[in-house]
């Protein structure tokens, strides 16, 4: 390279001038800007239901067989909807034995009524027509005592007879096909399938019904940076990425007062819960950091060496190294 006339230029100066020209020609610049700095995070959670209704076989008489389950896991049901079809088997001997006992008890009751009615009439006459006052007083006392005991025994026998008749009516109605109906509204889960011919005992378990209008999410992994009352969004695989909005109701943050700190992170979800699947985990998405109006530098422009993190500043055709302190990073920026 030739120097200007009258100027003395050293080889070193020529070298650095050439190097600088080369750097300038190949430098790529990134402009620092101000904006909102956001770091998104996620954690895993499971659905917990405030109200679960357990469906049982409530038929105590005979041999009960579940012949058909009329719902599938995940179905929404209303109170009173049929859940399962039952077949109740009661032996002919059992029915005939009860019918004979009812007939005998009815005959015994008729005799009991007739006998005591006659005694009461007799004591009543004595209390009116006995010659002495003492005899009339004794007859009256006997009448009162018999009247009380007769009434109590009569009520007891009549109640027992009515119970036997009710049982007989139940036997006859149960021989027909029966249904177990939903005792509450919600979503069906945990159905017990039985083999053909298997019987189910009195209060044997059939399935559960979950109240899907009142749910919360229990964080099972991650979420250490969740904050009380923070907005989060819940999503499950298989629901086309649709998000359900919720808020943190209890968390482990040490920044909270002792009466607000929970033993686990919980999130309450508002709105429609019908798209959540019962047995699947839920992903919670939220902002772990959100800072307004901060300096943002592209990650591509930030480097590091033994002295720390730095950027190259480009000014007046030259670049030079500047060490920096960062306040966090996300996928795109420091």
């Amino acid at each position: 390279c030739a120097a200007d006339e009258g100027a003395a230029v050293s080889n070193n100066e020529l070298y650095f001038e050439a190097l600088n020209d080369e750097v300038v020609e190949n430098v790529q610049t990134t402009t620092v800007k101000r904006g909102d700095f956001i770091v998104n995070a996620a954690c895993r959670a499971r659905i917990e239901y405030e109200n679960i209704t357990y469906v049982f076989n409530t038929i105590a008489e005979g041999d009960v067989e579940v012949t058909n389950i009329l719902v599938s896991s995940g179905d929404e049901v209303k109170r009173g909807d049929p859940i399962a079809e039952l077949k109740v088997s009661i032996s002919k001997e059992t029915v005939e034995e009860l019918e004979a006992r009812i007939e005998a008890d009815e005959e015994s009751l008729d005799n009991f009524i007739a006998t005591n009615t006659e005694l009461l009439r007799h004591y009543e006459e004595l209390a009116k027509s006995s010659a002495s006052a003492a005899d009339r007083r004794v007859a009256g006392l006997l009448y009162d005592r018999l009247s009380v005991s007769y009434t109590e025994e009569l009520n007891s026998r009549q109640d027992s007879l009515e119970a036997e008749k009710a049982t007989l009516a139940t036997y006859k109605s149960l021989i027909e096909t029966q249904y177990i109906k939903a005792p509450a509204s919600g979503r069906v889960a945990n159905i017990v399938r039985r083999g053909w011919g298997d019987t189910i005992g009195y209060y044997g378990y059939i399935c559960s019904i979950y109240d899907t209008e009142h749910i919360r999410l229990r964080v099972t992994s991650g979420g250490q940076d969740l904050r009380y009352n923070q907005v989060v969004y819940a999503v499950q695989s298989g629901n086309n990425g649709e998000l359900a909005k919720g808020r943190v109701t209890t968390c482990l943050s040490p920044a909270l007062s002792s009466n607000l700190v929970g033993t686990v992170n919980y999130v309450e979800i508002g709105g429609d819960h019908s798209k959540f699947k019962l047995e699947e985990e839920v992903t919670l998405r939220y902002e772990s950091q959100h800072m307004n109006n901060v300096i943002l530098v592209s990650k591509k422009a930030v480097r590091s060496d033994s002295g720390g993190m730095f950027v190259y500043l480009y000014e007046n055709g030259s670049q030079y190294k500047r060490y920096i302190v960062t306040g966090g990073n996300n996928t795109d920026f420091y």
Side-chain angles (χ1 to χ4, degrees):
C1 178
D4 291 340
E5 184 177 348
V9 180
S10 68
N11 289 334
N12 285 340
E13 289 174 335
L14 291 174
Y15 171 76
F16 281 113
E17 183 178 346
L19 179 61
N20 189 57
D21 290 340
E22 182 181 353
V23 171
V24 171
E25 290 174 0
N26 293 283
V27 73
Q28 294 181 350
T29 61
T30 298
T31 302
V32 173
K33 64 179 182 179
R34 283 191 173 272
D36 293 345
F37 173 75
I38 300 172
V39 177
N40 293 312
C43 60
R44 303 291 291 171
R46 292 198 68 85
I47 300 175
E48 289 189 356
Y49 297 86
E50 293 186 13
N51 299 313
I52 303 176
T53 303
Y54 300 100
V55 182
F56 302 99
N57 164 43
T58 56
I59 299 175
E61 297 82 5
D63 296 325
V64 181
E65 176 189 348
V66 180
T67 57
N68 191 17
I69 299 293
L70 304 175
V71 293
S72 300
S73 182
D75 285 355
E76 296 283 346
V77 296
K78 299 293 184 182
R79 183 183 178 92
D81 288 349
I83 294 289
E85 187 178 89
L86 307 179
K87 179 182 179 182
V88 183
S89 301
I90 299 175
S91 67
K92 181 180 178 181
E93 291 78 10
T94 300
V95 174
E96 290 178 346
E97 179 183 339
L98 182 57
E99 288 175 334
R101 188 163 65 248
I102 290 173
E103 185 178 352
D105 288 346
E106 285 179 331
E107 183 178 351
S108 175
L109 180 61
D110 290 341
N111 293 334
F112 173 75
I113 292 172
T115 300
N116 282 274
T117 301
E118 179 62 25
L119 279 174
L120 286 171
R121 187 187 62 78
H122 177 66
Y123 288 142
E124 186 178 23
E125 287 181 358
L126 289 176
K128 292 179 180 179
S129 59
S130 293
S132 67
D135 289 342
R136 291 194 297 273
R137 189 181 310 111
V138 170
L141 291 172
L142 290 173
Y143 177 88
D144 292 341
R145 182 179 300 174
L146 178 60
S147 177
V148 171
S149 61
Y150 166 65
T151 301
E152 291 178 352
E153 180 65 17
L154 177 63
N155 291 336
S156 176
R157 292 193 181 198
Q158 286 176 332
D159 290 344
S160 178
L161 184 60
E162 288 302 317
E164 289 175 339
K165 290 181 177 179
T167 300
L168 179 61
T170 299
Y171 282 175
K172 291 181 177 180
S173 66
L174 287 177
I175 293 174
E176 304 297 329
T177 299
Q178 300 295 311
Y179 295 95
I180 294 292
K181 297 183 178 180
S185 299
R187 193 178 304 172
V188 177
N190 305 324
I191 300 172
V192 175
R193 302 288 178 178
R194 292 175 171 81
W196 183 84
D198 289 347
T199 59
I200 180 174
Y202 181 48
Y203 265 84
Y205 175 80
I206 295 175
C207 66
S208 299
I209 298 177
Y210 290 81
D211 176 9
T212 54
E213 292 186 3
H214 303 90
I215 71 171
R216 63 180 183 177
L217 304 180
R218 182 181 189 273
V219 176
T220 55
S221 63
Q224 289 82 0
D225 51 354
L226 286 172
R227 303 181 305 278
Y228 176 72
N229 207 34
Q230 181 179 6
V231 174
V232 299
Y233 295 90
V235 64
Q236 269 186 332
S237 60
N239 68 346
N240 298 321
E242 294 187 30
L243 299 175
K245 186 177 180 179
R247 287 189 178 273
V248 178
T249 54
T250 64
C251 65
L252 305 176
S253 171
L256 292 176
S257 60
S258 58
N259 61 324
L260 291 178
V261 176
T263 57
V264 68
N265 292 325
Y266 274 114
V267 172
E268 286 190 0
I269 300 294
D272 181 15
H273 306 138
S274 62
K275 295 179 182 178
F276 283 106
K277 298 178 182 178
L278 295 176
E279 288 84 16
E280 288 190 11
E281 276 198 329
V282 178
T283 298
L284 296 180
R285 298 175 182 171
Y286 58 96
E287 294 180 356
S288 62
Q289 278 187 278
H290 192 143
M291 302 168 65
N292 296 321
N293 194 30
V294 294
I295 298 176
L296 300 175
V297 181
S298 171
K299 274 195 166 181
K300 296 178 181 179
V302 180
R303 304 181 184 184
S304 64
D305 59 15
S306 59
M309 305 184 78
F310 66 89
V311 295
Y312 284 111
L313 296 187
Y314 182 68
E315 187 176 12
N316 297 326
S318 300
Q319 66 175 0
Y320 56 94
K321 182 187 292 187
R322 169 72 63 83
Y323 284 98
I324 61 172
V325 176
T326 66
N329 67 92
N330 57 23
T331 56
D332 300 312
F333 296 101
Y334 281 103

